Amino acid sequence: DAGVIQSPRHEVTEMGQEVTLRCKPISGHNSLFWYRQTMMRGLELLIYFNNNVPIDDSGMPEDRFSAKMPNASFSTLKIQPSEPRDSAVYFCASSLRWNTEAFFGQGTRLTVV
Amino acid sequence: GQQLNQSPQSMFIQEGEDVSMNCTSSSIFNTWLWYKQEPGEGPVLLIALYKAGELTSNGRLTAQFGITRKDSFLNISASIPSDVGIYFCAGYMEYGNKLVFGAGTILRVKS
């Protein structure tokens, strides 16, 4: 099993640009989570999906952030326009279903300059 | 803000010592998960707990799901240098289905 796959691993972009982060969950998993990790705020849950449907997006910091899951094997997190304070490591995780073990990807380190 | 209170924030211990860390909350959780994160990597699952009172081991690691469903602890016995990293507790909240994380415990081991 390849595990959760995220791309890119690193992204450096200029303030104001659009950024798209990608995630491929483990095959057969029905729940998908997006987290942001910073030194100050730790691991914050941004949004999660169940069966491709967004269940709770209350952690999305602003309207500049949006996430989609068009099918069971792909999800995106988009920031438009990006700002320097968005710099962080963004993780995607998936689980077989709610309330079960969640497995993480290796993350995308985003730097907005 | 953090819905899970994890302590201690950091530990610097001698190789061979036992380690204990815990997480508490005012909310009830259905599942507790413990993770370890190393630099540049994503959190890696160590132990999953599904029932109140459950005690589970994974090698030198032992974790328990508190009876009240509001807390959990992780013990590491006979620490070794490769135990260094950040340990996180996480839990699925009873209401809202969210998987939330504690702030982490930084473990350093001196050999």
Side-chain angles (χ1 to χ4, degrees):
Chain A
D1 195 329
V4 176
I5 299 173
Q6 291 186 246
S7 64
R9 286 296 309 273
H10 302 274
E11 176 81 36
V12 180
T13 191
E14 289 187 348
M15 182 174 64
Q17 296 297 306
E18 177 179 297
V19 175
T20 299
L21 311 181
R22 296 172 175 78
C23 175
K24 177 179 168 55
I26 294 173
S27 178
H29 280 194
N30 293 319
S31 294
L32 183 140
F33 309 83
W34 281 101
Y35 289 88
R36 177 172 68 177
Q37 186 175 38
T38 60
M39 289 291 291
M40 291 298 295
R41 299 176 69 87
L43 275 161
E44 298 175 275
L45 177 62
L46 300 178
I47 185 172
Y48 67 96
F49 296 82
N50 198 42
N51 293 321
N52 312 339
V53 176
I55 303 300
D56 189 326
D57 66 354
S58 61
M60 298 285 258
E62 298 171 35
D63 291 345
R64 299 184 295 106
F65 286 69
S66 62
K68 294 182 179 179
M69 192 164 186
N71 57 62
S73 59
F74 184 65
S75 177
T76 59
L77 178 67
K78 186 177 294 186
I79 308 173
Q80 166 63 22
S82 58
E83 297 182 3
R85 60 195 168 114
D86 301 330
S87 298
V89 181
Y90 291 81
F91 287 103
C92 174
S94 72
S95 65
L96 188 62
R97 57 184 180 277
W98 174 73
N99 209 32
T100 61
E101 300 142 26
F103 298 90
F104 280 73
Q106 291 195 298
T108 295
R109 180 173 293 277
L110 173 65
T111 303
V112 183
V113 298
Chain B
Q2 294 288 351
Q3 291 159 302
L4 289 177
N5 300 308
Q6 185 170 350
S7 64
Q9 190 173 5
S10 65
M11 303 179 75
F12 192 13
I13 62 169
Q14 188 72 41
E15 182 179 359
E17 287 184 359
D18 296 345
V19 172
S20 184
M21 60 191 78
N22 69 84
C23 269
T24 61
S25 177
S26 57
S27 303
I28 291 175
F29 287 80
N30 287 321
T31 298
W32 286 95
L33 305 172
W34 283 92
Y35 291 84
K36 179 187 178 186
Q37 186 178 27
E38 298 186 24
E41 301 294 328
V44 174
L45 183 67
L46 299 172
I47 289 180
L49 301 158
Y50 292 104
K51 295 180 182 178
E54 180 181 352
L55 185 70
T56 297
S57 293
N58 177 8
R60 294 179 295 106
L61 277 60
T62 301
Q64 185 160 28
F65 193 142
I67 293 291
T68 65
R69 296 171 63 194
K70 295 181 179 180
D71 63 326
S72 177
F73 72 74
L74 174 71
N75 289 339
I76 305 173
S77 63
S79 57
I80 59 178
S82 62
D83 290 335
V84 166
I86 306 176
Y87 291 79
F88 291 97
C89 62
Y92 282 95
M93 300 183 72
E94 182 180 44
Y95 297 107
N97 302 348
K98 293 183 179 183
L99 177 59
V100 296
F101 278 73
T105 295
I106 300 170
L107 179 63
R108 299 184 181 91
V109 179
K110 45 183 177 177
S111 52

